[in-house]
Short mmCIF file of all heavy atoms in Angstrom, two decimals:
data_model
loop_
_atom_site.label_atom_id
_atom_site.label_comp_id
_atom_site.label_asym_id
_atom_site.label_seq_id
_atom_site.Cartn_x
_atom_site.Cartn_y
_atom_site.Cartn_z
N LEU A 1 8.68 -7.41 -16.03
CA LEU A 1 8.06 -8.33 -16.98
C LEU A 1 7.74 -9.62 -16.24
O LEU A 1 8.56 -10.12 -15.45
CB LEU A 1 9.00 -8.64 -18.15
CG LEU A 1 9.55 -7.45 -18.95
CD1 LEU A 1 10.61 -7.92 -19.93
CD2 LEU A 1 8.42 -6.75 -19.67
N GLY A 2 6.56 -10.18 -16.49
CA GLY A 2 6.20 -11.39 -15.78
C GLY A 2 5.29 -12.29 -16.57
O GLY A 2 4.59 -11.86 -17.51
N ALA A 3 5.31 -13.58 -16.21
CA ALA A 3 4.42 -14.58 -16.81
C ALA A 3 3.95 -15.52 -15.72
O ALA A 3 4.66 -15.75 -14.73
CB ALA A 3 5.14 -15.35 -17.91
N SER A 4 2.75 -16.04 -15.88
CA SER A 4 2.17 -16.91 -14.86
C SER A 4 1.28 -17.96 -15.51
O SER A 4 0.55 -17.67 -16.46
CB SER A 4 1.36 -16.08 -13.86
OG SER A 4 0.84 -16.87 -12.82
N LEU A 5 1.36 -19.19 -15.00
CA LEU A 5 0.55 -20.31 -15.50
C LEU A 5 -0.21 -20.92 -14.34
O LEU A 5 0.39 -21.41 -13.38
CB LEU A 5 1.44 -21.35 -16.16
CG LEU A 5 0.74 -22.61 -16.70
CD1 LEU A 5 -0.21 -22.25 -17.84
CD2 LEU A 5 1.75 -23.65 -17.15
N LEU A 6 -1.54 -20.87 -14.42
CA LEU A 6 -2.40 -21.45 -13.39
C LEU A 6 -2.92 -22.79 -13.90
O LEU A 6 -3.59 -22.85 -14.94
CB LEU A 6 -3.55 -20.50 -13.06
CG LEU A 6 -4.43 -20.84 -11.86
CD1 LEU A 6 -5.07 -19.58 -11.28
CD2 LEU A 6 -5.55 -21.82 -12.24
N ILE A 7 -2.62 -23.87 -13.15
CA ILE A 7 -2.98 -25.23 -13.57
C ILE A 7 -4.01 -25.80 -12.59
O ILE A 7 -3.70 -25.98 -11.41
CB ILE A 7 -1.74 -26.14 -13.59
CG1 ILE A 7 -0.64 -25.52 -14.46
CG2 ILE A 7 -2.10 -27.53 -14.09
CD1 ILE A 7 0.70 -26.24 -14.34
N PRO A 8 -5.24 -26.09 -13.03
CA PRO A 8 -6.22 -26.75 -12.16
C PRO A 8 -5.90 -28.24 -12.06
O PRO A 8 -6.02 -28.97 -13.06
CB PRO A 8 -7.55 -26.47 -12.86
CG PRO A 8 -7.19 -26.31 -14.30
CD PRO A 8 -5.80 -25.74 -14.34
N LEU A 9 -5.51 -28.70 -10.90
CA LEU A 9 -5.16 -30.11 -10.72
C LEU A 9 -6.41 -30.98 -10.67
O LEU A 9 -6.43 -32.09 -11.20
CB LEU A 9 -4.32 -30.28 -9.46
CG LEU A 9 -3.04 -29.44 -9.40
CD1 LEU A 9 -2.33 -29.65 -8.07
CD2 LEU A 9 -2.11 -29.80 -10.56
N ASP A 10 -7.44 -30.49 -10.00
CA ASP A 10 -8.74 -31.15 -9.97
C ASP A 10 -9.77 -30.12 -9.55
O ASP A 10 -9.51 -28.91 -9.61
CB ASP A 10 -8.74 -32.38 -9.05
CG ASP A 10 -8.28 -32.06 -7.63
OD1 ASP A 10 -8.61 -30.97 -7.14
OD2 ASP A 10 -7.58 -32.90 -7.02
N GLU A 11 -10.91 -30.56 -9.10
CA GLU A 11 -11.99 -29.62 -8.78
C GLU A 11 -11.62 -28.67 -7.65
O GLU A 11 -12.09 -27.52 -7.61
CB GLU A 11 -13.25 -30.41 -8.40
CG GLU A 11 -14.46 -29.54 -8.12
CD GLU A 11 -15.70 -30.36 -7.77
OE1 GLU A 11 -15.62 -31.61 -7.80
OE2 GLU A 11 -16.74 -29.75 -7.46
N TYR A 12 -10.76 -29.10 -6.72
CA TYR A 12 -10.47 -28.29 -5.54
C TYR A 12 -9.04 -27.76 -5.49
O TYR A 12 -8.76 -26.79 -4.78
CB TYR A 12 -10.71 -29.13 -4.27
CG TYR A 12 -12.15 -29.55 -4.09
CD1 TYR A 12 -12.56 -30.84 -4.40
CD2 TYR A 12 -13.10 -28.65 -3.62
CE1 TYR A 12 -13.87 -31.23 -4.25
CE2 TYR A 12 -14.42 -29.03 -3.45
CZ TYR A 12 -14.81 -30.32 -3.78
OH TYR A 12 -16.12 -30.71 -3.62
N ASN A 13 -8.13 -28.37 -6.20
CA ASN A 13 -6.72 -28.03 -6.07
C ASN A 13 -6.20 -27.31 -7.32
O ASN A 13 -6.48 -27.73 -8.45
CB ASN A 13 -5.89 -29.30 -5.85
CG ASN A 13 -6.28 -30.02 -4.58
OD1 ASN A 13 -5.86 -29.68 -3.49
ND2 ASN A 13 -7.13 -31.04 -4.73
N ARG A 14 -5.43 -26.22 -7.09
CA ARG A 14 -4.83 -25.45 -8.18
C ARG A 14 -3.36 -25.16 -7.86
O ARG A 14 -3.00 -24.99 -6.69
CB ARG A 14 -5.55 -24.12 -8.39
CG ARG A 14 -7.00 -24.24 -8.79
CD ARG A 14 -7.56 -22.88 -9.16
NE ARG A 14 -7.27 -21.87 -8.15
CZ ARG A 14 -7.55 -20.57 -8.28
NH1 ARG A 14 -8.12 -20.14 -9.38
NH2 ARG A 14 -7.28 -19.73 -7.32
N LEU A 15 -2.56 -25.11 -8.91
CA LEU A 15 -1.15 -24.77 -8.76
C LEU A 15 -0.81 -23.65 -9.74
O LEU A 15 -1.13 -23.74 -10.93
CB LEU A 15 -0.28 -26.00 -9.06
CG LEU A 15 1.24 -25.78 -8.99
CD1 LEU A 15 1.67 -25.43 -7.56
CD2 LEU A 15 1.98 -27.02 -9.49
N THR A 16 -0.16 -22.61 -9.24
CA THR A 16 0.26 -21.49 -10.08
C THR A 16 1.78 -21.39 -10.08
O THR A 16 2.41 -21.39 -9.01
CB THR A 16 -0.32 -20.16 -9.56
OG1 THR A 16 -1.75 -20.24 -9.54
CG2 THR A 16 0.11 -19.00 -10.43
N LEU A 17 2.37 -21.33 -11.27
CA LEU A 17 3.81 -21.16 -11.44
C LEU A 17 4.05 -19.80 -12.10
O LEU A 17 3.46 -19.50 -13.13
CB LEU A 17 4.39 -22.28 -12.30
CG LEU A 17 4.13 -23.71 -11.82
CD1 LEU A 17 4.66 -24.71 -12.84
CD2 LEU A 17 4.76 -23.95 -10.45
N SER A 18 4.92 -18.99 -11.50
CA SER A 18 5.11 -17.62 -11.97
C SER A 18 6.58 -17.25 -11.99
O SER A 18 7.40 -17.83 -11.27
CB SER A 18 4.35 -16.63 -11.08
OG SER A 18 2.98 -16.96 -10.97
N ALA A 19 6.90 -16.25 -12.81
CA ALA A 19 8.26 -15.72 -12.88
C ALA A 19 8.20 -14.25 -13.26
O ALA A 19 7.38 -13.84 -14.08
CB ALA A 19 9.10 -16.49 -13.90
N ASP A 20 9.06 -13.45 -12.64
CA ASP A 20 9.19 -12.03 -12.94
C ASP A 20 10.65 -11.69 -13.19
O ASP A 20 11.56 -12.31 -12.61
CB ASP A 20 8.71 -11.17 -11.77
CG ASP A 20 7.20 -10.93 -11.80
OD1 ASP A 20 6.51 -11.62 -12.57
OD2 ASP A 20 6.73 -10.06 -11.03
N ALA A 21 10.88 -10.71 -14.05
CA ALA A 21 12.21 -10.15 -14.27
C ALA A 21 12.12 -8.63 -14.15
O ALA A 21 11.17 -8.02 -14.65
CB ALA A 21 12.77 -10.54 -15.64
N ASN A 22 13.09 -8.02 -13.46
CA ASN A 22 13.09 -6.58 -13.22
C ASN A 22 14.40 -5.97 -13.65
O ASN A 22 15.47 -6.55 -13.43
CB ASN A 22 12.90 -6.27 -11.73
CG ASN A 22 11.57 -6.72 -11.21
OD1 ASN A 22 10.59 -6.02 -11.31
ND2 ASN A 22 11.54 -7.92 -10.64
N LYS A 23 14.30 -4.78 -14.21
CA LYS A 23 15.51 -3.99 -14.49
C LYS A 23 15.23 -2.53 -14.13
O LYS A 23 14.25 -1.95 -14.61
CB LYS A 23 15.94 -4.07 -15.94
CG LYS A 23 17.29 -3.37 -16.19
CD LYS A 23 17.67 -3.32 -17.64
CE LYS A 23 19.09 -2.77 -17.81
NZ LYS A 23 19.31 -1.49 -17.12
N LEU A 24 16.09 -1.96 -13.29
CA LEU A 24 15.97 -0.55 -12.97
C LEU A 24 16.33 0.29 -14.19
O LEU A 24 17.39 0.10 -14.78
CB LEU A 24 16.88 -0.19 -11.79
CG LEU A 24 16.39 -0.62 -10.41
CD1 LEU A 24 17.52 -0.53 -9.40
CD2 LEU A 24 15.21 0.22 -9.97
N LEU A 25 15.46 1.20 -14.56
CA LEU A 25 15.71 2.08 -15.70
C LEU A 25 16.34 3.38 -15.20
O LEU A 25 15.84 4.49 -15.42
CB LEU A 25 14.40 2.35 -16.45
CG LEU A 25 13.66 1.10 -16.94
CD1 LEU A 25 12.41 1.50 -17.71
CD2 LEU A 25 14.56 0.22 -17.78
N VAL A 26 17.45 3.20 -14.50
CA VAL A 26 18.20 4.30 -13.89
C VAL A 26 19.64 4.21 -14.37
O VAL A 26 20.23 3.13 -14.35
CB VAL A 26 18.15 4.21 -12.35
CG1 VAL A 26 18.98 5.30 -11.71
CG2 VAL A 26 16.70 4.28 -11.86
N PRO A 27 20.22 5.31 -14.83
CA PRO A 27 21.61 5.25 -15.31
C PRO A 27 22.58 4.88 -14.20
O PRO A 27 22.37 5.21 -13.02
CB PRO A 27 21.87 6.67 -15.83
CG PRO A 27 20.86 7.53 -15.16
CD PRO A 27 19.65 6.67 -14.95
N THR A 28 23.63 4.17 -14.57
CA THR A 28 24.65 3.77 -13.62
C THR A 28 25.55 4.96 -13.29
O THR A 28 26.06 5.62 -14.19
CB THR A 28 25.51 2.62 -14.19
OG1 THR A 28 24.65 1.54 -14.53
CG2 THR A 28 26.54 2.15 -13.18
N ARG A 29 25.72 5.23 -12.02
CA ARG A 29 26.57 6.34 -11.61
C ARG A 29 28.04 6.01 -11.91
O ARG A 29 28.50 4.91 -11.59
CB ARG A 29 26.41 6.61 -10.12
CG ARG A 29 27.27 7.76 -9.59
CD ARG A 29 27.17 7.87 -8.09
NE ARG A 29 25.82 8.21 -7.66
CZ ARG A 29 25.47 8.35 -6.38
NH1 ARG A 29 26.37 8.16 -5.43
NH2 ARG A 29 24.23 8.66 -6.04
N PRO A 30 28.79 6.94 -12.54
CA PRO A 30 30.23 6.71 -12.76
C PRO A 30 30.93 6.41 -11.45
O PRO A 30 30.66 7.05 -10.43
CB PRO A 30 30.71 8.03 -13.37
CG PRO A 30 29.49 8.61 -14.02
CD PRO A 30 28.34 8.21 -13.15
N THR A 31 31.83 5.45 -11.45
CA THR A 31 32.46 4.99 -10.23
C THR A 31 33.63 5.87 -9.81
O THR A 31 34.15 6.67 -10.60
CB THR A 31 32.97 3.55 -10.40
OG1 THR A 31 33.99 3.55 -11.42
CG2 THR A 31 31.84 2.62 -10.81
N MET A 32 34.05 5.70 -8.56
CA MET A 32 35.21 6.40 -8.05
C MET A 32 36.45 6.02 -8.84
O MET A 32 37.34 6.85 -9.09
CB MET A 32 35.41 6.07 -6.56
CG MET A 32 36.48 6.88 -5.85
SD MET A 32 35.96 8.59 -5.60
CE MET A 32 37.27 9.19 -4.52
#
C-alpha cells in the first residue's frame, strides 16, 4: 500500500513525499 504527494515548488522545482507499507501474505511457520 502506498501514497505519494507531488508538490510543485515553482516553475522548475518539484518535491515528492511518499510512503509505502508492506505485509507478506505468507503464513508464519510454527516455531521449534
Side-chain angles (χ1 to χ4, degrees):
L1 305 172
S4 183
L5 178 64
L6 189 154
I7 306 170
L9 303 177
D10 54 37
E11 183 179 357
Y12 297 102
N13 299 278
R14 298 188 310 175
L15 178 65
T16 301
L17 304 175
S18 305
D20 275 13
N22 296 275
K23 187 185 187 308
L24 284 166
L25 304 182
V26 177
T28 303
R29 180 186 296 179
T31 63
M32 188 72 170

